[in-house]
Amino acid sequence: MHEWALAEGVVATAIKVAQREGLREITEIRVKIGELQQTDMEIFEFALKEIVRPQTALLKRAKFVFEHEPAMLKCRVCAAEWPFKQSLQELDEGESESIHFLPETAHVYVRCPSCHSPDFEVTKGRGVWLESITGER
Amino acid sequence: MDPRLGIIEERLKDVKRVIAVAGGKGGIGKSSVAATFALMLARAGHRVGLLDLDICGPSSHVILGISGVAPMEDKGIVPPLVHGIRFMSIIYYAGDNPSPMRGEDISNLIIELLTITRWGPLDFLIIDMPPGIGDPTLDIIRFMKGVEFLIITTPSKVALETVKKLVKMLIELGSPIIGVVENMKTDALPAAQGSIEALHVPFLGTIAFDEELEQAVGDVDRLAKGRFAADLRGALASVITAGGGGQLV
Ligand SMILES: [Zn+2]
């Protein structure tokens, strides 16, 4: 997913939660990032800073903590399991660029290393998850 | 919490009307209607977007003859303006390759597309929906508040039966239904109007089976001037004016 969109989503959701919980200030935001998303952390962190800047009161001291989850794929035909990283090495630039923008297009370009089936599931490392928001009331 | 869901509403806040073009089954001309509708709106001077969510069989780009364009990256993705339409589709990322995806993948892909796409201000966002009443339809209702459904059917019994199911589900979910358009009308089959009105949803009109439509595929000028577009314009004119969206000329 695109880093800016993701950063906007994280901040918007954090603000919503803070308002619901009556937080005066958010001190920590924990985000779990699946490897399938192909997030460029440098751009992501820069985007977060830029988006947070005008939100001074609520997010001034907020610290972001990231947890990365490697992506695992499992073939639905032969049950083979393999790390997404392994498939990524075999893709050309355009293909991995597509997955960067739309992670689900992995299904278009990745095949099971054992039986070449395109029918696999992402068992781990998909999506982005806001794990927790800590703050002061 | 999925932070992507927090941003979809924001992405659509400058879009006046979101209209999902849906049908109970495939092969009823839903994509032709969605693409032609978007084209007519654009030519009438409206700001319009077209989102092809028929993930497994995207075809809006074929109907509108769109190729050689790509979205621009700007704090998200800005769809290119083609024939006056902001056009977004999985084809930018999947090309002509098949997309072997299951329900969960398709749901995720729809969320991603809605999250990354920056439409900007639009009068209409037309969505070419996947056929049927599966996950994608439920997702659209869940994520896009205020989406209105334009339903397409053919006079065939099978199409009408599946449309009944779709209408019932939308009513149960409280989704607004603009009405039903009967496509590919021929003299060989009884008109669909009666069966549609029995469902207590507006019957908007009929598009005659147009043998020339196939020749117009990929040629927007021919598409806009053809009988298919003329019939569609007739069926939808009242909808557009009633919704305060201006004239559909
Ligand atoms: Zn396999």
Side-chain angles (χ1 to χ4, degrees):
Chain A
M1 153 161 315
H2 194 272
E3 288 77 10
W4 276 90
L6 188 56
E8 276 181 76
V10 166
V11 173
T13 310
I15 291 172
K16 250 182 227 165
V17 172
Q19 282 164 349
R20 197 183 59 209
E21 302 292 321
L23 298 182
R24 196 165 34 83
E25 193 172 11
I26 296 174
T27 50
E28 189 189 84
I29 299 171
R30 294 186 87 90
V31 187
K32 189 160 94 178
I33 301 163
E35 187 193 8
L36 191 69
Q37 305 303 118
Q38 292 290 294
T39 307
D40 182 326
M41 287 308 290
E42 214 172 292
I43 300 174
F44 184 45
E45 287 185 59
F46 174 74
L48 279 172
K49 263 192 214 129
E50 290 291 303
I51 293 162
V52 160
R53 205 194 310 254
Q55 311 279 348
T56 40
L58 188 63
L59 284 149
K60 190 170 58 184
R61 290 191 302 151
K63 201 171 88 190
F64 287 92
V65 182
F66 306 105
E67 184 194 326
H68 298 271
E69 187 179 67
M72 289 296 293
L73 310 179
K74 184 178 181 184
C75 178
R76 283 198 171 99
V77 177
C78 76
E81 284 183 79
W82 73 100
F84 170 64
K85 207 176 248 118
Q86 182 187 326
S87 296
L88 198 57
Q89 286 163 357
E90 287 156 20
L91 301 178
D92 68 30
E93 205 181 312
E95 292 166 344
S96 52
E97 176 89 350
S98 289
I99 297 173
H100 167 77
F101 282 111
L102 283 181
E104 268 54 51
T105 55
H107 288 275
V108 176
Y109 303 111
V110 172
R111 296 292 175 262
C112 168
S114 306
C115 75
H116 300 287
S117 167
D119 187 12
F120 59 85
E121 61 181 309
V122 182
T123 55
K124 262 177 64 181
R126 188 214 293 262
V128 177
W129 203 248
L130 210 55
E131 291 268 271
S132 68
I133 289 154
T134 318
E136 283 162 19
R137 280 209 167 82
Chain B
M1 267 168 301
D2 190 333
R4 300 175 299 181
L5 304 185
I7 208 71
I8 292 175
E9 219 171 300
E10 171 74 19
R11 290 278 181 267
L12 297 170
K13 75 173 195 313
D14 296 325
V15 179
K16 287 189 194 153
R17 289 180 76 180
V18 182
I19 297 178
V21 180
K25 65 187 280 293
I28 54 166
K30 175 181 53 59
S31 298
S32 303
V33 169
T36 309
F37 187 18
L39 185 64
M40 285 175 353
L41 288 166
R43 292 197 164 191
H46 298 289
R47 295 167 301 176
V48 53
L50 176 61
L51 173 62
D52 192 341
L53 282 187
D54 195 344
I55 305 296
C56 298
S59 54
S60 297
H61 63 293
V62 180
I63 294 160
L64 294 175
I66 294 173
S67 68
V69 291
M72 219 178 59
E73 199 182 331
D74 180 18
K75 297 185 177 178
I77 297 296
V78 180
L81 192 63
V82 201
H83 311 311
I85 302 165
R86 291 264 167 223
F87 180 68
M88 189 64 177
S89 166
I90 187 183
I91 54 131
Y92 297 133
Y93 305 100
D96 292 332
N97 303 297
S99 308
M101 294 184 204
R102 290 173 183 256
E104 191 194 359
D105 306 315
I106 294 171
S107 281
N108 266 288
L109 185 68
I110 288 174
I111 296 172
E112 302 274 348
L113 273 172
L114 295 175
T115 309
I116 62 173
T117 310
R118 300 175 77 100
W119 294 100
L122 291 181
D123 299 310
F124 294 91
L125 175 58
I126 308 298
I127 307 177
D128 185 1
M129 295 287 291
I133 54 176
D135 294 3
T137 307
L138 293 169
D139 285 338
I140 290 302
I141 294 167
R142 192 153 59 105
F143 301 133
M144 302 179 98
K145 306 266 180 288
V147 59
E148 307 166 66
F149 280 81
L150 176 66
I151 299 170
I152 312 303
T153 187
T154 68
S156 98
K157 281 181 200 154
V158 181
L160 281 168
E161 274 311 306
T162 53
V163 155
K164 258 184 221 170
K165 290 201 182 90
L166 176 63
V167 166
K168 277 183 187 159
M169 185 186 83
L170 292 175
I171 290 174
E172 215 168 296
L173 292 166
S175 296
I177 299 172
I178 296 173
V180 182
V181 174
E182 179 188 16
N183 189 22
M184 302 181 188
K185 171 93 182 78
T186 67
D187 294 332
L189 288 166
Q193 184 162 2
S195 330
I196 299 303
E197 282 169 353
L199 299 170
H200 304 291
V201 289
F203 179 78
L204 300 172
T206 290
I207 303 171
F209 183 79
D210 180 7
E211 283 136 25
E212 284 166 29
L213 180 62
E214 187 59 31
Q215 267 102 55
V217 163
D219 181 344
V220 284
D221 287 327
R222 214 165 153 179
L223 191 64
K225 286 182 192 130
R227 200 167 64 143
F228 179 83
D231 285 354
L232 182 63
R233 190 174 290 121
L236 297 181
S238 63
V239 174
I240 306 306
T241 40
Q247 294 290 323
L248 183 70
V249 182

